[in-house]
Amino acid sequence: MTEPSIEAVPTTYGNTTFRSRLEADWAATLDANRITWAYEPEAITLPSGAVYIPDFWLPELGTWIEVKGPGIPRVEKSIELAQTRACHCTAACTCQWPGGELVILARTALPAAGSETGRRPPYGYANWETPHGPSAYSTSCRACQRTQWITLRRPWRCRACRSPLEERPAYRAVDRNLRFVEGGAGLCSPFARPHTTEETP
Ligand SMILES: [Zn+2]
Ligand SMILES: [Zn+2]
């Protein structure tokens, strides 16, 4: 649920019209990493009574993604969803996804290292955080090849196939391992602009 902002330009990517170019870019980034996603699939009534429609649900990974552009600090619903859907098992985790459902806040891309300041880089890297609880790391499963986000809470298991991830490298966003794809701009949106200048909120 991306709040209206200067960046909230409806952008079509594939068969979906997103509320913002950043959402469309995240859809393209998920596609590039062969991550199955559904856009705004569900209105969730939180324990507080608030109704929340997260931006993406990743059905194979049990992960929600909320896209948040710069300067939009309202993440209360994301925090509540993360708290509600996290693992609450008292002994061994019996959740459908190891550690329960995960909520990721998806940010604007990190520029490639060495980019000139003041100029939008030709490409960047995916940037994310968690709204609540331990940090999330990107990794990939050797058994099923799925790229995913995990926390470092043990046991480290693939969220899709539950194979052990112990020996797999895990990356923070600042490690710049997951390429960000700008797939939304310039395809179908009448509002698309060339990516030549840095945009500030
Ligand atoms: Zn559990
Ligand atoms: Zn796997």
Side-chain angles (χ1 to χ4, degrees), residues 17-86:
T17 298
F18 296 88
R19 295 179 198 282
S20 69
R21 199 179 66 206
L22 184 59
E23 289 183 358
D25 288 347
W26 267 95
T29 297
L30 294 172
D31 280 347
N33 286 283
R34 298 191 299 280
I35 297 172
T36 303
W37 52 268
Y39 181 63
E40 297 189 341
E42 191 181 342
I44 297 168
T45 302
L46 297 167
S48 65
V51 176
Y52 179 34
I53 306 175
D55 293 317
F56 293 96
W57 167 241
L58 313 181
E60 294 173 337
L61 303 177
T63 300
W64 300 95
I65 292 186
E66 178 68 29
V67 176
K68 288 288 183 189
I72 307 173
R74 296 186 54 200
V75 294
E76 295 86 354
K77 291 179 181 178
S78 303
I79 292 171
E80 191 178 355
L81 181 69
Q83 291 172 329
T84 303
R85 300 294 179 91

Side-chain angles (χ1 to χ4, degrees), residues 48-169:
S48 65
V51 176
Y52 179 34
I53 306 175
D55 293 317
F56 293 96
W57 167 241
L58 313 181
E60 294 173 337
L61 303 177
T63 300
W64 300 95
I65 292 186
E66 178 68 29
V67 176
K68 288 288 183 189
I72 307 173
R74 296 186 54 200
V75 294
E76 295 86 354
K77 291 179 181 178
S78 303
I79 292 171
E80 191 178 355
L81 181 69
Q83 291 172 329
T84 303
R85 300 294 179 91
C87 173
H88 295 103
C89 303
T90 51
C93 178
T94 55
C95 296
Q96 182 175 356
W97 293 280
E101 295 177 15
L102 182 63
V103 180
I104 298 289
L105 293 181
R107 300 294 195 181
T108 51
L110 293 171
S115 299
E116 289 178 63
T117 53
R119 295 195 60 151
R120 194 182 182 95
Y123 58 89
Y125 292 89
N127 186 19
W128 68 85
E129 59 195 285
T130 54
H132 168 80
S135 301
Y137 293 71
S138 69
T139 190
S140 63
C141 173
R142 180 166 286 160
C144 74
Q145 313 290 323
R146 285 189 175 88
T147 299
Q148 58 198 279
W149 288 271
I150 60 167
T151 69
L152 294 188
R153 222 171 238 166
R154 290 177 183 273
W156 300 336
R157 292 197 171 277
C158 173
R159 297 182 61 80
C161 78
R162 302 185 95 90
S163 295
L165 295 172
E166 300 285 343
E167 83 291 4
R168 302 295 291 158

